[in-house]
Amino acid sequence: MNFAYYPGCSARGSSKDYEMSTQAVCKALDMRLVDIPDWNCCGSTPAHAVDTELSAALCVRNLDIAAQQKAEVLLTPCPSCLSNLRMAAKRMENPAFRSRVDELLDGPSAKEFPPVTSVMQGIAAQMDMGAITARVRQSLKGLKLVAYYGCLMSRPAEVMNFGDPENPTLMEEMMSACGAEMLDFPLKTACCGASFGIPERPMTAKNSGRILELATRLGADAIVVACPLCQMNLDLRQDQASAAMDTKFRMPVLYFTQMMGIAFDLPEKELGLNKLCVSADGLIRKLGELRREEAAKPAEQKAKAAEGGR
Amino acid sequence: MPVLNGKELRIVGFLCNWCSYGGADTAGVARATQPTDLRVIRVPCSGRIDPLFIVKALLNGADGVLVSGCHPRDCHYAAGNFYARRRLEVLKQFLPVLGIDERRFEYTWVSASEGQRWQQVVTVFTDRIHKLGPAPQLDDPEPLLKIADMALTSLRSLGTGQKAALAELKEAIKAKLPELDCVIGWQQGYDAAHTVPLFMKTPEDVDKLVWGPFNVNNPAVYLPTFKGKKVGIVVKGCDSRSVVELLQET
Amino acid sequence: MNEAINLNRLRDPAFTEEVEAHSGQKVSTCYQCGNCTAGCPAGFVYDMQVNQIMRAVQLGLKDAVLDSRSIWMCLSCSTCSQRCPNNIDVAGVMETLRHMARKEGRVAVPKVEKFWFSFLDTVRTFGRTHEIGTMALYMMRSLRVFTDVDLAPEALKKGKLGLKPHILPGGAGPVTRIFTRYKERAKREGVRP
Amino acid sequence: MRIGVFICHCGSNIAGTVDCAKVAAIARTYPDVVYADDPMYTCAEPGQAAIEAAIHEHKLDGVVVASCSPRMHEPTFRRTVERAGLNRYMLEMANIREHVSWIGKDMEANTNKAAELVQLAVEKLRNNKPLMAKSFDVNKRVLVIGGGVAGIQAALDCADGGVPVVLVEREATIGGKMAKLDKTFPTVDCSACILGPKMVDVAQHSNITLYAYSEVEDISGYVGNFTVKIRKRSTYVDWSLCTGCGACTEKCPAKKTPDAFNELTGTTTAITIAFPQAIPKKAVINPQFCRQLLKGKCGVCAKVCPTGAIKYDMEDEIITEEVGSIVAATGYDLMDWTVYKEYGGGTYPDVITSLQYERLLSASGPTGGHVKRPSDGREPKNIVFVQCVGSRDKSVGRPYCSGFCCMYTAKQAILTKDHIPDSKSFVFYMDIRAPGKMYDEFTRRAMEEYGTEYIRGRVSQIYPDANGQMTVMGVDTLLGQPVEIKADLVVLAVGVEASKGSPQLAEKLRISYDSYGFFMESHVKLKPVETNTAGVYLAGVCQGVKDIPASVAQGSAAAAKVLALFSKDKLESDPQIAQVDIRRCVNCGKCIRCCPFGAIKEVEIRGEGKAQVIETVCQGCGLCTSTCPQGAIQLSHATDNQILAEVNALCQC
């Protein structure tokens, strides 16, 4: 089944791996993601920080394209894009606002926009957790993971409707469906420092630091994320965070799609694991051992049984 | 004849003693300035108001009539304002028949603490009446009054259903229940002043059935969802029409 | 700095109303419990804490608010809005203040705005963001040449920084036009784009 | 008819914007008006004397007073005319203050309006008839609902006043929330020690019948003659045999039963006695956990019970009591704080409610009075108290202040220091509300003598830091800085709400309640104990949050109201009720159906069915009057004729 797809700019750059794994996993679940043609940047934080109407205009252009495609729903992997697109669509309900935005566009925008949703919710809507479990080839059983949603995924609640804004659980459900043990992570919706990594590094470093510190203390094998910016701040900037907390974190930070890919036993190349700054090799190795032990167990038991029989 | 050589119009207010009259007092205590046209008649409850009073006032030279009672559910007498709401709503529809502009009559709910709201209600209504201007005067309203009286008598029993008949009704339903998939009715909601739909499948369900002024919603809306099923339904007179409609449609 | 604020003189009720109008939030419902500040991830770099901003808005202390660094440091993570006991969208208020400040050309933390413009400029020229471009522009604007250079090689090695910009297949025209129209309108309305 | 009219100046309140003399002059022109005057203060002693004098001098048989709202002074002037020998219903009032002088400045318009309102009153009065109140007997027994400290106080005072009391308590023991407290502020004396004796008095008082583990099922009747159905829930123990020896509780194998009395901080047995000082001290079986009742095999308690009191087949019992008055004292419950997901929503064992903490402090509690963390039983060193959890918080629908949290938090901080001298307590507060005798001094002591750290601000998030501690992210708004505290134990001062089922009880009592379930008093300031239903009174938190002294005071106040009511052998019914003209009544039964109070019944008069009003039940709403197609049933003092007279007065003038 085909889905209109808005990758977002980072998919072409800082989060190539997210993009790759998303494509791979969705393919594995026979969901084909088709880029809407000629899409442009949603403006991200800077746009709406500078001007709501400008930000809306940038988003609406994409919504327009999706509308022309007669797309039933528009999927995007990036929470930041998602929240911008949804916010824009919501604001456009106000006629005054709409007309001011239309002024900025080449022509008047479509009356109706298709609903936008995250790839994660898209998958959840397509198939229940059972179906995901059914697709698992290499269970994540024995891996201790924490799900980190960041601040955009569930807030503002009325726009994102992503379950309890203080305690979303969709990612946990998906990871558990893949067999992983999910630790309760109180900071799951805390902010990582967002796009301030460049202009105000200490702030980002400290916030990411808090998150990495708690995950490390909880004894997590990895943090699972769904946001390119979070991933960048926690992974690429992990050393900066370490410095800020004067310690040395070694915490793999994977996209939930990469984790699912591993569980589905998709080739590592397609998941872009090599693009992680904090390597996931240790994780993969641990998983391998776990599965081997498991495979070994029945043999032992047989052996025992045999002895018992004698 | 215009009051104060045209400065004022004749506006009569019927206020229930417990909420709205108190609200008007509260407005006074707060020195909330209001137009001077309104003259208030105090009644124990909005349910005491006979629509005939209003028609009489309007036919005898009042330019506007304002009725105000306790907010629905806050009635000092539990249910009085629900009866009032029914009657006054129908009255609104009926006034044009008597050649009275229905905009000259309004009913609302104001609590004893809502002084500001009262001020606003009076101001808005008075403005409205002033926009409409003085009401056309009849030299002999009596014949019209007679018609009104006859017509309104039928209004009086509005919503006084059938409590007595409830027992028999329940029996009747219980008797029929075996051959039906379900019977739709009302049951008490989260408090005595609210009802929610009741779908009766067992005799125990039937005992939950209630009847009274709080049976506001029209149960017929649930009929389509039972397409192909054999269902019974308890309706008010007005609801029965929608049932008929549904029958005609399918 | 710490001398008494003359509330007769410095107070600007119109400002409070303007903020409430633009943000659609009732600032007067804030009773200063400080929950916003308690949860704010950026608070430690603020010059005025969120609750103090809200207080200043209530009092109509326009200058204090619009010249504060805080409104520029806000991460827009909405933690404050989420947990406000009075259901105030505090983040929304912060954004409104940011817009008002910009329109009046008051930018307490130029580097942040510089970064935003660097980002938006790449969007304007290419239609999509371009990390290297953004960074280069920002370095020039802010003269902070060494920003994140320590990361660049790592990122490059991982192929996470697209070296060449990805321009829209159909050309960046449509997007550029959006910006142009925006700038023109701002000029017409006499506000700073 | 001879009518006297009195236009009150009310100082300048009315005279300021109404020409009272002119109104009086106009009034003299109205039919039947033989006397009109405009005194300075009609309600004052000389003013009333003047009315009496005028009645005698001018042989008046009706009086119109134009002054303030009748809701204010109608009773006053009714007494006045009564003193002068008139029937009290031969008085009418025109409200020319709240409805005229106070809402407009235009002297001409006001004067004209006042005059018309006076005419309105005169026309009404001309149609008035003297009404005689009927009297009926009072059943001098009282029902007290709720055995908390307020209910106990009300019950004891009534009982001491010689009134037989029926006390109904939902739980297995009386004592309510106070019985769960360790110490009480501001004196820090032991709660059980001061409440215990009162509970014993209840048990021993010859005038008190106690139904514990029971609930009010249904209430009918009216002031002086209520009929109450009480459901005695099954305890599976015959209390007439149970001696409270506790043998059963020692032997019961179901030891994992959650302990409701200890706020679930500990476990108990399936058959249990709430606590040592319980009244009545009787065992109760919790059917959710009793193996005999669940699986049908066990029966240990039955075996060990020396008196054979265990009855597994026991069923609920409905008891009917006749009383003349009712005191509602149903108290409160804590709001469901698990909505605060940012505080863990109840998932962190070391984040507990203040009431749970009371149990941890209490010697009769699960830890024997040694403060231990629920998670690992360790003694906490850093304790954080968070106030206003579920109070003053619109976002969770609890905008009101719970009143006593500030005080008990200070108390708990002090007790914590007593229990664990090397501990440190922090209190997050928004405002300290201590307006009571020795209250503020008490909170000061917590800070000054016990070194409790008070921090002004709310808490944004609480989470376990995986090192066995809780991280508390708060703010010090006075410092203008976020603050963070590593805590071993966090105590939430959870806000209160009306106890479960309050709205349902209110419906049974036919009293109103606010949107939070608290019962409505009939006047916020002047009738804080009465309700709008005659004979029903309120005591304690069921009417609004208040602390122990206030609850006790209101308990006594309610008792005083009951005793005052019972001081008369007969009660007078309000004669402003509906009356049936049997000549017109066609027995259509519509009035019977519409009456919200079931005050109309069908009777047979000379072989014909007729409607008849039960005078003591009729509340005088007049619904039947506007319903009767025949105009056969008329509400005295607001008959069709009287109201139409007013309408005509307005329209013809």
Side-chain angles (χ1 to χ4, degrees), chain D residues 22 37 84 86 141 145 154 161 166 168 191 233 323 327 353 388 417 456 580 590 624 647:
Chain D
K22 186 171 175 206
D37 187 18
L86 294 192
R141 301 177 81 240
I145 308 172
V166 178
V168 176
S191 186
R233 279 155 55 213
V323 297
V327 176
T353 71
C388 297
K417 196 72 174 172
R456 202 259 169 220
V580 182
K590 291 198 166 66
C624 49
V647 173

Side-chain angles (χ1 to χ4, degrees), chain C residues 29-40 43-44 46 48-49 51-52 79 82-87, chain D residues 342-343 391-396 429-431 456-461 473-475 477 479-483:
Chain C
T29 56
C30 169
Y31 56 30
Q32 285 297 308
C33 67
N35 204 333
C36 43
T37 302
C40 181
F44 67 98
Y46 282 7
M48 250 173 122
Q49 292 302 330
N51 67 299
Q52 295 172 317
T79 310
Q82 172 58 36
R83 292 175 187 166
C84 174
N86 295 311
N87 299 321
Chain D
E342 59 268 46
Y343 297 167
S391 299
R392 305 174 64 191
D393 188 340
K394 282 188 210 142
S395 66
V396 298
Y429 72 100
M430 289 207 291
D431 302 285
R456 202 259 169 220
R458 261 192 193 270
V459 167
S460 174
Q461 192 177 9
M473 292 170 58
V475 59
T477 58
L479 212 59
Q481 278 294 318
V483 295

Side-chain angles (χ1 to χ4, degrees), chain D residues 170 215 330 332-336 497-504:
Chain D
R170 175 156 63 182
E215 289 183 68
T330 49
Y332 68 94
D333 281 309
L334 296 186
M335 66 89 68
D336 171 22
E497 61 186 15
S499 65
K500 310 254 172 305
S502 296
Q504 289 76 357

